[in-house]
Amino acid sequence: MFDALLLLCLFCLAVSIAVALFRIFRRSSTLSDRVLLIDSLSFIMIGMVAILSIYLDTVAFLEAILLIGILAFLGTVALSRFIERGYVIERKRDR
């Protein structure tokens, strides 16, 4: 019964990925909407990996969850800075 519930959760997360991908590639979405959807895709992937880890009864995927979370945070910060300022890394030169 618990396995069926985990598989149902994986299916629901897969459907939410499909909806997010549809909204990303829709023409009417703005750039900031796309950044938020990419961020939500990373959270959905974290949830899928966590459910898969519970389903397989292993802790081997916990490092992958942390890595996805860190990369998602850095990517969201970089894209937000790019939208706000037009560049990600500020370079000050004395020339």
Side-chain angles (χ1 to χ4, degrees):
M1 180 68 186
F2 186 66
D3 292 340
L5 183 64
L6 289 175
L7 291 176
L8 178 68
C9 290
L10 280 175
F11 176 74
C12 290
L13 287 175
V15 168
S16 64
I17 282 180
V19 170
L21 286 175
F22 173 74
R23 291 212 37 179
I24 285 175
F25 293 118
R26 204 171 65 177
R27 296 255 187 230
S28 63
S29 62
T30 62
L31 188 60
S32 59
D33 289 340
R34 290 178 181 169
V35 169
L36 289 174
L37 284 169
I38 290 171
D39 194 36
S40 67
L41 277 176
S42 63
F43 291 134
I44 294 169
M45 287 187 336
I46 288 172
M48 289 182 83
V49 172
I51 291 173
L52 187 65
S53 176
I54 293 170
Y55 183 72
L56 296 177
D57 195 26
T58 183
V59 295
F61 297 119
L62 296 180
E63 291 88 7
I65 291 171
L66 289 172
L67 184 65
I68 293 170
I70 291 169
L71 289 176
F73 173 74
L74 292 176
T76 303
V77 169
L79 284 172
S80 299
R81 287 187 75 180
F82 180 73
I83 289 172
E84 181 183 354
R85 299 180 186 165
Y87 53 87
V88 178
I89 299 173
E90 183 177 354
R91 297 178 187 206
K92 294 181 181 178
R93 296 186 183 191
D94 294 334
R95 294 182 191 181

